[in-house]
Amino acid sequence: MSDQLQVLNPATEEVIATVPAATAADVDAAVARASKAQSAWAALAPGERARMLRRFAVAVDEHLEELARLEVREAGHTVGNARWEAGNVRDLLDYAAGGVERLTGRQIPVPGGLNITILEPLGVVGVIAPWNFPMPIAAWGTAPALAAGNAVILKPAETTPLTALRLAELALEAGLPEGVFQVLPGHGPVAGNALVEHPGVAKIVFTGSTAVGKQVWAKGSALLKRVTLELGGKSPNIVFADADLEAAAAAAPMSFLDNSGQDCCARTRILVQRSAYDRFLDLLAPAIEAVTVGDPADEKTDMGPLISKSQLERVRSYVDQGAEGIRGKAPEGPGFWFPPTVLTGVDAHARVAVEEVFGPVAVVLPFEDEAEAVALANATDYGLSGSIWTRDVGRALRVSQAVRAGNLSVNSHSSVRYWTPFGGFKQSGIGRELGPDALTAFTETKNVFISTESTEGPAQ
């Protein structure tokens, strides 16, 4: 295995950077630095730690366009999406900073004394970030972990290390102490595995495939290491006949084409009530065909390339060229391009209907009634997100309760906000990220009882 990571522009296939790949020895040295820095970081007055994180947020904001353009080049994200991602890092740092001084324990009534709980940082946290959203998902783990008083070692994906490295530079420029936030690009089986198996790392936050997530959990369990896993998805987009079909069809394309479908929340199973099926497809076809696929640096582009040749080949393997459906257009020539694709006439148990494709491909499946819609929605190993389109408030509530997924939207496709919790059911993950409880996921609860009973002896 090479000791260098080549970073390609997925829109052109050109090498844009070469980055040293961390070894297991590099991870060991980084953990030692992090352990030393963490105790001083945790000992800072809460207000001071919060101020440093806010300065970090300001630095990100001042370099937002630079970070966005870097994301366009290394990940192929559209420039609009990339700006949102850099802004999400900024906002999450600000949000986490606001929690530092609110990370409080409790006073619990007990007889004979006073009982309090104290939330203490875990120590060193390893964050293993994916290539599909390199900046924001890295911040999901990093920002609350730092706010809670931990040191963080971030291992970005092999294909997208550049924005993570730049964020580490900005953190130092903003005044974060050396060793508190380190970035170690490297291969998953080497640097990632070393982080997971290192006894000095108290927790791993991993976002990626379910298969690799299971390995992370199994290896971490040998040390009783805490883990948060955000894994795969095969999310439903349920459209009832009483819905606003025009709105549902207009919103459907970007619910699975955003980031070229490389999104664990992508609504790739479009479930449509049979009585509205034909009308919905008539509305959906022009919406798919209107999606502009091309240069991600162009402000007018809706969808860019896939991340790599291997990902392109994976997506192709799911789509029979003779299959019925709706297809958009994509560029030809250099770059990892695949057109927006909606398949119809697909068996509900086909690979493309049940497995995570992680590309711009969706299937449309008909259903008869509410019970069948719920059964189809739940007929998957995953349970991350989903959408429900209906004008019936009672139905919206019933179906929301019946669908086994961690994040649902009614008459929209919203899934992730940094101030609300995010995570999945079943094989979509373990634990929750973001939201008001994000910091507590990076703490230990210590219980302290203080006796108030007199210890004085008898009066003399």
Side-chain angles (χ1 to χ4, degrees), residues 52-199:
M52 287 190 181
L53 290 175
R54 291 192 179 99
R55 286 200 293 266
F56 188 6
V58 169
V60 171
D61 190 55
E62 290 173 345
H63 294 82
L64 190 146
E65 188 67 16
E66 174 198 346
L67 288 165
R69 293 291 173 176
L70 196 56
E71 191 84 316
V72 171
R73 295 181 67 213
E74 74 169 347
H77 292 185
T78 61
V79 66
N81 279 10
R83 289 184 184 124
W84 175 88
E85 291 168 40
N88 188 252
V89 175
R90 171 203 61 209
D91 294 343
L92 188 50
L93 285 166
D94 266 331
Y95 183 74
V100 175
E101 293 166 296
R102 296 169 178 81
L103 192 60
T104 58
R106 295 181 296 173
Q107 184 270 313
I108 302 172
V110 292
L114 178 71
N115 197 94
I116 60 171
T117 61
I118 303 170
L119 301 181
E120 298 184 351
L122 297 171
V124 178
V125 173
V127 176
I128 302 176
W131 49 258
N132 62 325
F133 291 103
M135 280 194 287
I137 294 182
W140 292 4
T142 297
L146 290 174
N150 301 279
V152 172
I153 300 173
L154 167 63
K155 194 207 84 66
E158 292 94 322
T159 50
T160 54
L162 302 183
T163 49
L165 289 167
R166 185 65 181 121
L167 286 172
E169 294 173 349
L170 293 175
L172 289 175
E173 292 172 16
L176 266 69
E178 292 270 359
V180 167
F181 175 43
Q182 301 174 74
V183 173
L184 288 185
H187 298 283
V190 180
N193 191 63
L195 266 180
V196 172
E197 295 187 337
H198 201 292

Side-chain angles (χ1 to χ4, degrees), residues 259-278:
N259 199 27
S260 306
Q262 300 166 132
D263 181 354
C264 49
C265 292
R267 273 65 163 176
T268 54
R269 291 185 301 143
I270 306 174
L271 314 180
V272 183
Q273 196 157 20
R274 193 175 298 277
S275 60
Y277 185 85
D278 291 339

Side-chain angles (χ1 to χ4, degrees), residues 29-46:
V31 173
R33 290 192 296 270
S35 297
K36 183 177 180 180
Q38 186 271 326
S39 57
W41 175 247
L44 285 176

Side-chain angles (χ1 to χ4, degrees), residues 103 118-122 144 148-150 203 226 438-446:
L103 192 60
I118 303 170
L119 301 181
E120 298 184 351
L122 297 171
N150 301 279
K203 178 171 181 171
R226 290 149 187 78
L439 272 65
T440 61
F442 295 94
T443 62
E444 291 273 28
T445 299
K446 178 177 286 183

Side-chain angles (χ1 to χ4, degrees), residues 205-244:
V205 179
F206 172 83
T207 301
S209 72
T210 297
V212 177
K214 289 178 180 179
Q215 295 175 25
V216 170
W217 193 17
K219 291 177 179 179
S221 68
L223 296 170
L224 293 181
K225 195 183 299 286
R226 290 149 187 78
V227 297
T228 296
L229 304 176
E230 199 275 279
L231 308 175
K234 190 67 176 176
S235 300
N237 177 11
I238 308 171
V239 182
F240 287 96
D242 70 341
D244 182 337

